[in-house]
Amino acid sequence: MWYKSPFRTEKEASFKVDLHKEVWYDFGLGKGGDIITLAEEIYRTQDISYVLRCIEDKRAALKPVILSRSEERRVGK
């Protein structure tokens, strides 16, 4: 699934989430990881207790962007 990055304003999606592997990658930042590393980036902390509470409390709803095959190749898989 492709999303617009939660870290900046952008017109085209550059944030990919692989639901099968349960990982994310932000092509603009050149960073990725699992849900914990994503929450650490979003909440700017490595305090795991706080991060886990935020994940449980917030459950952010991000809207996916559907890309055609040609757009997906251009952005990167």
Side-chain angles (χ1 to χ4, degrees):
M1 304 285 288
W2 287 93
Y3 299 88
K4 292 181 180 178
S5 176
F7 303 112
R8 66 191 162 281
T9 302
E10 57 185 17
K11 292 182 180 184
E12 295 185 30
S14 67
F15 187 88
K16 187 172 185 179
V17 176
D18 185 319
L19 299 175
H20 298 290
K21 295 180 183 176
E22 298 181 355
V23 295
W24 63 277
Y25 189 81
D26 187 318
F27 285 86
L29 290 178
K31 290 183 176 181
D34 60 15
I35 186 67
I36 301 300
T37 58
L38 176 58
E40 288 174 341
E41 288 288 327
I42 290 172
Y43 297 110
R44 299 177 189 253
T45 183
Q46 292 184 336
D47 179 342
I48 294 299
S49 295
Y50 177 73
V51 167
L52 292 175
R53 281 194 310 277
C54 289
I55 291 170
E56 183 179 356
D57 293 344
K58 306 299 180 200
R59 296 187 187 155
L62 301 174
K63 294 183 179 182
V65 175
I66 306 301
L67 299 179
S68 69
R69 290 276 184 202
S70 62
E71 290 174 313
E72 190 171 306
R73 277 189 231 104
R74 185 175 49 80
V75 174
K77 291 184 180 180

